[in-house]
Amino acid sequence: MSRLGRGRRRAAAVRSVTATTMPVVTPAAAVRSVTVTAMPGATRAAAVRSVTVTAMPGATRAAAAGPAARGRRRGPLRGLAATAVATVLALTAGGCVTVHGELAVVPSASRAEAARALKDFTESYNASNAAYDPALNAGRVTGALGAINQAGLKARSVTQPGGNPRHKPLILSDAAFTIPKKAGWPRWFLADATADQGSGPSTTSRWAVVFVRNGPQQLWEAAYLQVLARDELPKFRTDADGWAVPVAADAAEPAVAPRELSREYVSYLRTGRPEHFAAGPETSAWREKRRTTASRPGLSTQYVDQPLDSGDFAPLGLATEDGGALVFFATRYFDRQTAAAGFRPRTNAEVRALTTGQVKSTLTKEWVSSQVARVAPAGARQNQVTVLNRIQGVVAAKGS
């Protein structure tokens, strides 16, 4: 292609320039950011679809005053926008555009970065559990795991202020990383490893930890933790380079979209519907246990379940080879114990450490519950959702 032809393609790749301003600041301080948007299917040298120039709060009053005023005093801002476009064109001509990852489909992390995140998590986990100090790993946990972990450490810091004299450091070995390739934030990945503690023999169980990162300046934080049998971890779908395939919240490929799981699990626990949850300890058996313990001599218990599916509590799913998905999701529930005259609700030292108010006849505990489910491919007629494991913890309580 001739030099002129290449120049035309690069020029044609810029579709629009948007300059946004706010009242009252000097023109020299008017530009806050430049966003470069890629044109679908364009070559790297002609990848610019639009340039958005966003003004700092308080940019020139004339720029925000309407077309007539902009016609009189638009010189400085127009010059800044033009400079931004010229810069972008110069960069594309050299094949040297920096893309921040909002649109580029890239691995969520390198394998070395994922290994370092797991190492950092393990170190902070050990430090906080030895001292029973939630501050020591507050920056390494979030979401459902963060809520459960931080509340548990807070309670133990009250009941055992000297720390844990029987602490045994957690050792994770034989780690594997399932890293999805995706666009935008948040980015996340799954680490699974053999642990030297926890439920089940270490040779048959794995700690599955989902790490989340909401921006380039943030630390990797563990949002979900589950303990699974080795054979419960499915084979994940990957591309030619070994990167996993994420499942969108509204995906149609699995039998149930990830964004529906929290709401539907809440409905199932309350009513038994929808019926596509497979029977098991975290579904039918959990409902039966609630039923049989709801009324006891001198004490009744009521349950209220709520979806928990936004922010760092959002469901995260990975596509499996069979066309289904492995999905991590969260819920919240409250159990309210009401005692008859002459009785008091049951409690323990750790719950009391999280309790506000005086427990006389009622105690309401707030729980965060973290689940991992195997979701069958679309078209499955039964057992569409199998809840493999559930971890829960009291995060607050109130007495009256």
Side-chain angles (χ1 to χ4, degrees):
M1 181 181 292
S2 70
R3 182 180 299 274
L4 177 58
R6 289 195 297 270
R8 285 174 177 167
R9 288 191 62 190
R10 291 165 186 154
V14 177
R15 183 176 301 172
S16 67
V17 178
T18 303
T20 306
T21 63
M22 299 285 289
V24 192
V25 106
T26 61
V31 175
R32 177 174 57 195
S33 66
V34 177
T35 300
V36 180
T37 307
M39 175 177 286
T43 61
R44 184 170 64 180
V48 178
R49 180 177 65 192
S50 68
V51 179
T52 301
V53 181
T54 305
M56 289 290 290
T60 56
R61 189 183 304 272
R70 284 196 296 270
R72 292 191 300 269
R73 295 186 57 189
R74 63 183 177 180
L77 181 60
R78 182 172 61 184
L80 287 167
T83 300
V85 175
T87 301
V88 170
L89 289 175
L91 289 172
T92 55
C96 182
V97 173
T98 299
V99 179
H100 294 288
E102 287 78 2
L103 295 176
V105 177
V106 296
S108 289
S110 68
R111 291 179 175 85
E113 186 181 3
R116 179 56 188 265
L118 181 63
K119 178 178 181 292
D120 291 341
F121 164 77
T122 306
E123 290 176 352
S124 67
Y125 177 93
N126 283 328
S128 60
N129 278 274
Y132 284 152
D133 183 352
L136 295 180
N137 76 331
R140 294 293 180 181
V141 291
T142 190
L145 175 59
I148 296 167
N149 171 268
Q150 291 289 286
L153 290 172
K154 178 182 176 182
R156 294 184 186 97
S157 71
V158 174
T159 60
Q160 299 183 62
N164 183 2
R166 297 185 298 277
H167 174 69
K168 178 184 176 183
L170 169 69
I171 299 174
L172 296 176
S173 59
D174 188 29
F177 301 97
T178 305
I179 303 171
K181 196 173 182 180
K182 65 184 295 290
W185 303 95
R187 293 182 180 168
W188 57 277
F189 66 87
L190 169 66
D192 68 274
T194 299
D196 67 335
Q197 55 188 262
S199 59
S202 61
T203 56
T204 60
S205 63
R206 304 279 285 180
W207 276 38
V209 188
V210 179
F211 288 89
V212 174
R213 192 180 183 202
N214 289 306
Q217 304 304 318
Q218 292 193 2
L219 297 174
W220 283 104
E221 298 173 303
Y224 289 101
L225 166 64
Q226 295 292 340
V227 180
L228 298 173
R230 188 180 291 270
D231 59 6
E232 288 179 320
L233 281 167
K235 292 183 178 180
F236 296 106
R237 194 196 320 168
T238 58
D239 65 13
D241 297 318
W243 304 112
V245 178
V247 178
D250 59 351
E253 290 84 2
V256 179
R259 71 178 180 185
E260 303 296 333
L261 284 175
S262 184
R263 180 182 60 82
E264 292 193 356
Y265 188 58
V266 162
S267 174
Y268 171 82
L269 292 175
R270 184 174 65 250
T271 68
R273 288 183 169 79
E275 298 178 348
H276 51 228
F277 286 91
E282 312 306 342
T283 49
S284 54
W286 178 218
R287 292 191 73 242
E288 180 64 14
K289 182 178 180 180
R290 287 183 172 193
R291 187 189 68 80
T292 58
T293 59
S295 181
R296 291 183 172 181
L299 187 69
S300 66
T301 304
Q302 297 172 300
Y303 294 91
V304 176
D305 296 274
Q306 297 177 347
L308 191 57
D309 55 7
S310 61
D312 287 351
F313 294 89
L316 297 172
L318 289 164
T320 54
E321 285 188 349
D322 63 1
L326 184 73
V327 182
F328 296 80
F329 69 99
T331 56
R332 174 191 286 118
Y333 76 89
F334 299 84
D335 75 56
R336 180 181 174 88
Q337 296 178 346
T338 303
F343 292 85
R344 295 187 69 181
R346 300 173 180 177
T347 186
N348 58 43
E350 291 185 2
V351 171
R352 287 193 293 271
L354 299 173
T355 301
T356 59
Q358 185 177 356
V359 180
K360 297 178 181 178
S361 61
T362 67
L363 174 65
T364 302
K365 291 177 285 186
E366 177 185 353
W367 301 75
V368 168
S369 181
S370 169
Q371 294 76 216
V372 60
R374 183 78 183 267
V375 183
R381 295 185 177 274
Q382 59 183 359
N383 295 340
Q384 294 172 324
V385 181
T386 302
V387 181
L388 301 175
N389 196 41
R390 184 173 64 88
I391 292 177
Q392 65 176 15
V394 175
V395 297
K398 183 176 181 179
S400 62

